[in-house]
Amino acid sequence: MPRYQAVLFDFFGTLTRCVQRGSAHRTIAELLGCPTETLIDVLDRSYYQRASGRFGNAEATLRWVCGQAGVHPSDEAVRAAVASRHRAVRADTRLRAEAVPVLAALRGQGVRTGLISDCTHELPAFLPQLAVAPLLDVRVFSVQVGRCKPDSALYLAACHRLDLTPADCLYVGDGGSQELTGAERAGMTAVRLAAPDLTGHMVFNADHGWDGPALTSLTEVLDLLDPVGVG
């Protein structure tokens, strides 16, 4: 069994439980003066553009969204909506109960840990407030790198920051954004988290063609490490 020197995790749907847009998103639409359905439609079809940081900071990105939705709110309304969206995304984020124990166990065994996430501006802003933050050696956010999974640049950025090769790393994700295919293409070993709650998970560009190993719980990651080399 391989001795991995690092385990890299997806965030939404992997370190967190399934994600769905909650009711707080209605407030954003009200602040911007557009129907909630219109806002959600623009957010869905522009996800990868926004997650690659194409439109600038959070305020500039939301202004672009407004243009696509056909509304022209005031500067004050846009700023309020940016703050409301931050709160909404944070409210939709619930860490898995096993996330902290698994990360702590890995760190205790001398295995380094990291995060590779397709995300918009909100996650980098609130991640430091989460219990997993001090247990992550490296954090790679698509909105900061300017690329989204399955682009190898994200995986290689994590390796570079850890001073490891891709072969040294195990990647764990739910399969959104073809992330598992991307991780293997970059030279990592990949496993899918197929937890029962993910049947209702909001996902874009799912990795339907990937048929590698799957786990039903994050705790099973610990079983994939070499018990001889760990201690």
Side-chain angles (χ1 to χ4, degrees):
M1 187 177 293
R3 165 66 165 128
Y4 300 108
Q5 296 187 46
V7 181
L8 303 173
F9 295 87
D10 170 48
F11 185 72
F12 295 108
T14 302
L15 291 180
T16 79
R17 293 184 57 78
C18 74
V19 175
Q20 295 177 325
R21 287 197 179 96
S23 59
H25 289 270
R26 287 198 298 269
T27 302
I28 304 168
E30 291 170 0
L31 287 167
L32 298 175
C34 70
T36 302
E37 295 77 11
T38 300
L39 174 64
I40 296 302
D41 176 66
V42 175
L43 291 177
D44 283 351
R45 59 185 169 84
S46 67
Y47 176 70
Y48 286 110
Q49 294 169 294
R50 294 181 296 107
S52 63
R54 184 173 301 181
F55 307 116
N57 63 20
E59 186 171 326
T61 299
L62 198 53
R63 286 189 181 283
W64 180 89
V65 168
C66 289
Q68 295 295 301
V71 295
H72 304 282
S74 67
D75 291 347
E76 181 180 1
V78 171
R79 287 192 291 269
V82 167
S84 182
R85 176 165 165 78
H86 178 102
R87 291 190 296 270
V89 176
R90 175 68 183 88
D92 295 342
T93 301
R94 298 169 298 152
L95 291 176
R96 293 190 179 279
E98 64 270 30
V100 167
V102 167
L103 289 172
L106 291 170
R107 293 279 294 272
Q109 294 172 350
V111 178
R112 303 180 74 184
T113 61
L115 173 71
I116 303 176
S117 178
D118 276 355
C119 63
T120 48
H121 294 283
E122 295 77 23
L123 179 58
F126 69 69
L127 181 70
Q129 305 162 19
L130 302 184
V132 295
L135 298 171
L136 295 167
D137 293 302
V138 64
R139 310 165 191 179
V140 177
F141 302 112
S142 65
V143 73
Q144 296 177 349
V145 175
R147 308 279 184 86
C148 289
K149 303 171 192 174
D151 194 304
S152 294
L154 283 86
Y155 308 95
L156 298 179
C159 293
H160 177 73
R161 296 177 194 180
L162 291 169
D163 196 23
L164 296 174
T165 69
D168 294 324
C169 302
L170 174 68
Y171 182 82
V172 183
D174 64 274
S177 299
Q178 297 190 28
E179 62 186 350
L180 305 171
T181 299
E184 289 193 333
R185 188 181 300 132
M188 297 179 179
T189 299
V191 295
R192 183 196 298 272
L193 178 66
D197 67 288
L198 291 176
T199 55
H201 183 51
M202 181 177 68
V203 64
F204 298 98
N205 196 21
D207 222 337
H208 294 302
W210 192 85
D211 60 357
L215 314 175
T216 58
S217 169
L218 280 182
T219 57
E220 295 173 35
V221 170
L222 302 176
D223 298 330
L224 300 178
L225 302 177
D226 182 355
V228 176
V230 174

